Amino acid sequence: MGKPKFSRKKYETPSHPWQADRIKAENELSRKYGLKNKREIWKAQTALRRYRGQARGLLAKIGGDNPQVKKESEQLLMRLTRMNILPLNSTLDDVLALETEPILSRRLQTLTYLKGLANTPTQARQLISHGHIAIADRRITVPSYMVTKDEESKIGYAANSPLNDLLHPARPSAEFKSVPIKKEDKPEESKDKPTGGKPPKTDETKKDIVGEKPSEKETVQEKKPVKSEPKEKPAEIPEGKPPKTEKKASEELSQKEKPADSKKQIEKPEESKDQSTEEKSEDKNKSDDVKKGGK
């Protein structure tokens, strides 16, 4: 049973404490509606789970002749329409399509901000907890109070609140307009133009992966000129001998191409050189003999 002083919790906590997608979604909801903690989201989710579970059970029994099923389904739909969570003439299928945000939007904190009584959802929470907000002259200090459709038009400042003065600094200005809280829709990605990031793969790129057509990168690489390596390395020059110039190389080629007669002509000047050296030696000997005779 437990102690009467401590009541049991009326909400269910998540099955696992660390879930990135769930934590990200809860942070967005708490920032959007100015919630104090995640417990308020879990309470709304528990109420939604209870409504949907009841609708599933009634849908399974609709085929029978039990009149109680019809009565309970009407009571469930009337309750949700009275809370302005569902419109009139709704069905049990609409109950299964509900999400958490329609329930969070019926809180007193959210409606106080939407009616322009506060500048922000967090300020609306502060005004409610400090006793400045009332519904039909009945002060309510619970920000999570679920407002019905009939009570929505009766929300205002309490009779004894100083915020009734138009010149109060905490009161929103006359030009202030609250931004309606709506579900953020993701922008649809255009089919023709890519919206940033990597461009979408076309059919040609898919074919490149399969191997039917060569990719553009491969064709570009084939078109690039390939650096030609030298066929023969230059012969090493022996030490002590100067390198052959182009003129000398051309002379050697011309000598090889000449006929044998030209070789004889080339050899003649060598013989003349030998005769001239012999004549010079004879002249020296004569001069030596003359000098000796004179003495």
Side-chain angles (χ1 to χ4, degrees):
M1 176 181 170
K3 292 185 178 181
K5 185 179 179 181
F6 302 104
S7 59
R8 295 178 182 178
K9 63 178 183 181
K10 300 177 181 179
Y11 60 91
E12 296 178 7
T13 56
S15 59
H16 195 278
W18 306 112
Q19 291 173 341
D21 296 336
R22 177 186 58 79
I23 291 170
K24 186 177 179 181
E26 288 176 352
N27 290 336
E28 290 178 357
L29 287 175
S30 61
R31 196 183 304 111
K32 186 176 180 180
Y33 291 94
L35 304 178
K36 180 182 178 181
N37 48 33
K38 304 287 183 66
R39 189 182 299 115
E40 297 179 355
I41 299 173
W42 298 339
K43 287 180 180 179
Q45 290 175 351
T46 303
L48 176 63
R49 196 177 293 114
R50 186 167 57 250
Y51 296 147
R52 294 180 65 181
Q54 189 176 355
R56 281 195 301 270
L58 292 171
L59 281 170
K61 298 176 184 179
I62 280 178
D65 299 333
N66 192 357
Q68 185 66 21
V69 176
K70 185 177 181 181
K71 183 179 178 180
E72 289 181 3
S73 60
E74 289 177 357
Q75 288 177 353
L76 176 62
L77 295 173
M78 284 295 294
R79 175 180 173 80
L80 295 176
T81 52
R82 188 171 64 252
M83 299 296 294
N84 202 12
I85 296 173
L86 286 177
L88 290 171
N89 301 323
S90 298
T91 60
L92 294 175
D93 294 330
D94 297 332
V95 179
L96 297 177
L98 281 175
E99 294 182 357
T100 309
E101 291 197 34
I103 295 174
L104 292 174
S105 62
R106 299 307 304 168
R107 300 172 75 251
L108 180 61
Q109 177 184 352
T110 306
L111 294 175
T112 302
Y113 167 69
L114 293 177
K115 287 181 71 67
L117 301 176
N119 292 316
T120 59
T122 53
Q123 187 188 14
R125 185 183 186 87
Q126 184 184 23
L127 295 178
I128 294 166
S129 60
H130 289 186
H132 294 289
I133 304 298
I135 297 175
D137 297 332
R138 183 167 61 95
R139 185 177 295 177
I140 295 175
T141 59
V142 181
S144 60
Y145 175 79
M146 298 298 290
V147 183
T148 61
K149 190 175 182 180
D150 298 334
E151 294 175 344
E152 187 174 353
S153 59
K154 300 176 183 178
I155 299 172
Y157 293 117
N160 299 330
S161 175
L163 292 173
N164 288 316
D165 186 5
L166 296 176
L167 300 177
H168 197 279
R171 186 185 176 114
S173 60
E175 299 177 355
F176 172 76
K177 292 182 180 179
S178 59
V179 180
I181 297 174
K182 294 181 180 180
K183 186 177 179 181
E184 296 179 359
D185 297 331
K186 295 182 180 179
E188 295 181 358
E189 297 179 355
S190 60
K191 297 180 180 179
D192 300 332
K193 296 181 180 180
T195 57
K198 295 183 179 180
K201 291 183 178 180
T202 57
D203 296 336
E204 293 181 359
T205 54
K206 290 180 180 178
K207 290 179 181 179
D208 294 341
I209 294 168
V210 176
E212 294 181 2
K213 290 185 179 180
S215 60
E216 294 180 358
K217 294 182 180 179
E218 292 177 358
T219 55
V220 171
Q221 290 178 0
E222 289 176 359
K223 290 179 181 179
K224 287 182 179 179
V226 181
K227 293 182 180 180
S228 60
E229 297 180 356
K231 294 180 180 179
E232 296 180 358
K233 294 183 180 179
E236 296 180 357
I237 300 167
E239 296 180 357
K241 293 183 180 180
K244 292 182 180 180
T245 59
E246 294 179 357
K247 291 181 179 181
K248 290 182 179 181
S250 61
E251 289 176 0
E252 288 178 359
L253 291 171
S254 63
Q255 288 175 4
K256 290 178 181 179
E257 292 175 357
K258 286 180 180 181
D261 296 336
S262 62
K263 291 182 180 179
K264 292 179 181 179
Q265 293 176 0
I266 293 167
E267 291 175 356
K268 284 182 180 180
E270 293 178 357
E271 293 177 358
S272 62
K273 287 180 182 180
D274 297 337
Q275 289 176 3
S276 61
T277 52
E278 288 177 357
E279 288 176 358
K280 286 180 181 180
S281 62
E282 288 178 359
D283 293 336
K284 285 182 181 181
N285 293 329
K286 287 179 181 180
S287 61
D288 294 335
D289 295 337
V290 173
K291 286 179 181 180
K292 288 179 182 180
K295 289 178 180 181

